[in-house]
């Protein structure tokens, strides 16, 4: 399902098509700083990948006033709370999937973690889904400007999606409680696919509720993520269908 966007008022179109008009040309974060920070969590980035992440951070901050994409406005916090937080799941996605793999980021918002994942792991096909048109407009423009051929942007309610080909991984960051996540996305996950839910502290209440409301889904792992210079807990909860036999 491709994104279908409705016309915006003229003043909004002007901002959308040329957000740089009232902004300086310099990037908010340097590619070198991003590469050095990613190296701390064991993720080597090429110069091209670092440049793309720097360009994405700049787009995110410049378009934020139009789209209300994030409450974070500091470039330093964008690096830690958004880019590194998103990149921290790359090793686990690599571990649980074969190449190539289909990944869907539900409730993608400003493209986190999907866009950093698509940049750092170009062999993955990443789909971003959001129900808000203006956010999807930003995602599409970012895809175009960064030339991300492995990225697809969809304007839809995730629970209404019925893909022809199921996904190997459903990723959610600040989207919904675990029982709701499974309820809204179970039609998207392949038989041996995974849910990857990015959380702060381990959500024990959600895990208990999941046993009641989704007894056919099991918790495979609760992984503590390490994000440099982020003074907060981060965990990745991995789920699968209990029966993965053919």
């Amino acid at each position: 399902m491709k994104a279908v966007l409705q016309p915006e008022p003229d003043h909004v179109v002007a901002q959308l098509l040329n957000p740089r008009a009232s902004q300086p040309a310099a990037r908010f974060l340097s590619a070198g700083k991003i590469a050095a920070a990613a190296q701390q969590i064991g993720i080597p980035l090429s110069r091209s990948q670092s440049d793309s992440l720097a360009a994405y951070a700049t787009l995110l901050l410049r378009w934020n006033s139009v789209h209300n994409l994030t409450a974070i406005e500091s470039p330093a916090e964008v690096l830690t709370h958004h880019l590194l937080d998103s990149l921290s799941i790359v090793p686990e996605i690599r571990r649980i999937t074969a190449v190539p793999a289909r990944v869907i980021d539900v409730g993608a918002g400003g493209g986190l973690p999907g866009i950093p994942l698509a940049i750092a792991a170009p062999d993955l096909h990443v789909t971003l889904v959001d129900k808000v048109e203006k956010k999807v407009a930003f995602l599409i423009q970012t895809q175009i400007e960064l030339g991300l051929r492995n990225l697809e942007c969809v304007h839809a309610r995730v629970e209404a999606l019925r893909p022809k080909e199921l996904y190997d991984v459903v990723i959610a960051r600040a989207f919904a409680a675990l029982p709701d996540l499974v309820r809204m996305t179970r039609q998207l996950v392949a038989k041996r696919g995974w849910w990857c839910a990015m959380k702060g502290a381990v959500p024990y209440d959600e895990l208990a509720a999941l046993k009641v409301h989704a007894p056919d889904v099991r918790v495979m792992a609760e992984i503590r993520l390490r994000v440099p210079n982020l003074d907060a807990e981060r965990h990745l909860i991995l789920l699968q269908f209990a029966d993965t036999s053919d």
Side-chain angles (χ1 to χ4, degrees), residues 40-211:
Q40 293 182 53
I41 54 177
I43 301 173
L45 297 173
S46 68
R47 181 53 189 260
S48 175
Q49 289 171 320
S50 301
D51 282 341
S52 291
L53 286 167
Y56 167 58
T58 299
L59 286 168
L60 183 68
L61 287 169
R62 285 178 177 166
W63 289 51
N64 193 42
S65 60
V66 177
H67 292 275
N68 192 26
L69 300 170
T70 175
I72 292 175
E73 298 180 350
S74 158
E77 289 189 332
V78 167
L79 176 59
T80 55
H81 291 62
H82 286 337
L83 298 187
L84 293 181
D85 189 44
S86 297
L87 292 173
S88 69
I89 70 171
V90 170
E92 290 304 320
I93 300 299
R94 291 290 197 197
R95 184 181 66 82
I96 64 175
T97 59
V99 175
R102 286 168 49 79
V103 176
I104 184 167
D105 177 1
V106 296
L112 299 155
I115 289 177
L117 181 62
I119 292 170
D123 51 309
L124 300 177
H125 181 276
V126 180
T127 299
L128 307 178
V129 180
D130 203 277
K131 65 182 181 180
V132 180
E133 285 188 27
K134 290 183 180 180
K135 291 181 178 180
V136 177
F138 166 74
L139 298 176
I140 291 172
Q141 187 64 26
T142 300
Q143 176 192 20
I144 293 169
E145 293 204 24
L146 301 186
L148 297 176
R149 297 182 180 180
N150 62 326
L151 193 70
E152 179 183 5
C153 306
V154 178
H155 172 229
R157 289 185 174 275
V158 65
E159 58 268 34
L161 288 178
R162 296 296 185 273
K164 293 181 179 179
E165 184 178 354
L166 298 179
Y167 291 91
D168 301 296
V169 181
V170 170
I171 296 177
R173 179 180 186 259
F175 176 66
L178 293 175
D180 294 327
L181 171 63
V182 169
R183 174 180 56 81
M184 290 188 285
T185 63
R186 62 167 52 244
Q187 79 282 1
L188 306 177
V189 184
K191 185 76 170 181
R192 294 187 175 87
W194 299 80
W195 284 274
C196 295
M198 299 178 71
K199 298 287 185 178
V202 176
Y204 293 109
D205 290 347
E206 294 180 27
L207 292 169
L210 186 67
K211 292 181 180 180

